[in-house]
Every structure is written in structure tokens, then in C-alpha cells.
């Protein structure tokens, strides 16, 4: 079980979509639960985790439905490596983005850069 004070939450709002991502890191692996709402039914969406060095990591792909949807995943990335999460539509355009505030690195031990970063 992850203590509450070691989790990080980011949120974003698009024109109609909302995204909230709760993350916790352990041993360089980041466990996450993304909750998304406001997507169009029967449209294919993808969730990406973007790193601070510009790499895109596809987390999940699904068809939109009415209501909210939870997406759970584990990323082989540290919290300090993550820059933002993006949900894209079928044409690759971002529908909603949730950014990590890296100024928080100073306040949150999980986001402090490790040596060499």
C-alpha cells in the first residue's frame, strides 16, 4: 500500500473532456490511475505519458463511452521523468492535457531529480 503523502495528482480540462491522474512511484515504477470524462462515445482515444525529454509512451487505447472511465497502468518511469499526460483523438490531436508542475520538485520528495538529472 502506498502512503497518501507519496502520491501526486495532476488534472486537466479540455473543451469538453476532463482528465485526472493519480500517481505513486516505487522503485522507479510509477503506478497510475487516470480518470477521464467527457469523451465522445464510439470514438477511439489514446492516453500518452510524455517525458521531460520529449518521449511519448502510449499507456492505453479505448473507445469512448458516456460517463467517466478509469485507466490503470504501471509505467517504467519515475515521477521525475514525467512531464504531462495527453489524451488524443483518432487524428492525433490532443483532447485534454494534464501537466506535472516540476516546480513541485522542490516540495515533493518523489519529484526531486535524482543525481545526474
Amino acid at each position: 500500500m502506498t502512503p497518501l503523502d507519496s502520491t501526486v495528482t495532476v488534472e486537466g480540462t479540455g473543451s469538453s473532456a476532463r482528465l485526472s491522474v493519480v500517481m505513486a512511484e516505487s522503485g522507479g515504477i510509477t503506478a497510475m490511475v487516470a480518470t477521464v470524462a467527457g469523451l465522445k462515445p464510439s470514438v477511439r482515444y489514446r492516453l500518452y505519458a510524455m517525458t521531460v525529454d520529449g518521449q511519448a509512451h502510449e499507456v492505453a487505447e479505448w473507445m469512448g463511452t458516456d460517463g467517466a472511465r478509469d485507466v490503470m497502468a504501471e509505467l517504467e518511469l519515475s515521477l521525475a521523468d514525467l512531464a504531462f499526460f495527453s489524451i488524443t483523438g483518432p487524428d492525433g490531436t490532443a483532447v485534454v492535457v494534464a501537466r506535472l508542475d516540476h516546480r513541485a520538485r522542490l516540495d515533493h520528495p518523489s519529484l526531486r531529480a535524482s543525481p545526474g538529472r
Side-chain angles (χ1 to χ4, degrees):
M1 175 169 287
T2 304
L4 185 60
D5 63 354
S6 67
T7 63
V8 175
T9 302
V10 295
E11 297 181 342
T13 304
S15 61
S16 64
R18 294 174 311 285
L19 172 63
S20 175
V21 184
V22 178
M23 301 157 282
E25 179 187 351
S26 177
I29 304 293
T30 298
M32 58 162 281
V33 177
T35 302
V36 62
L39 299 178
K40 294 179 183 175
S42 301
V43 173
R44 184 157 306 280
Y45 293 97
R46 287 188 172 104
L47 172 63
Y48 290 95
M50 302 297 292
T51 61
V52 294
D53 63 359
Q55 294 182 36
H57 298 265
E58 186 174 325
V59 176
E61 180 179 343
W62 70 94
M63 295 298 285
T65 58
D66 289 327
R69 176 182 179 96
D70 287 336
V71 176
M72 293 179 272
E74 286 189 348
L75 308 172
E76 292 186 12
L77 298 165
S78 71
L79 284 170
D81 290 331
L82 294 168
F84 63 93
F85 292 90
S86 175
I87 293 180
T88 62
D91 65 355
T93 302
V95 176
V96 62
V97 173
R99 298 185 184 281
L100 278 82
D101 181 357
H102 285 284
R103 293 172 294 176
R105 287 180 188 217
L106 302 175
D107 300 325
H108 197 287
S110 295
L111 288 177
R112 289 190 188 126
S114 59
R117 288 191 197 197

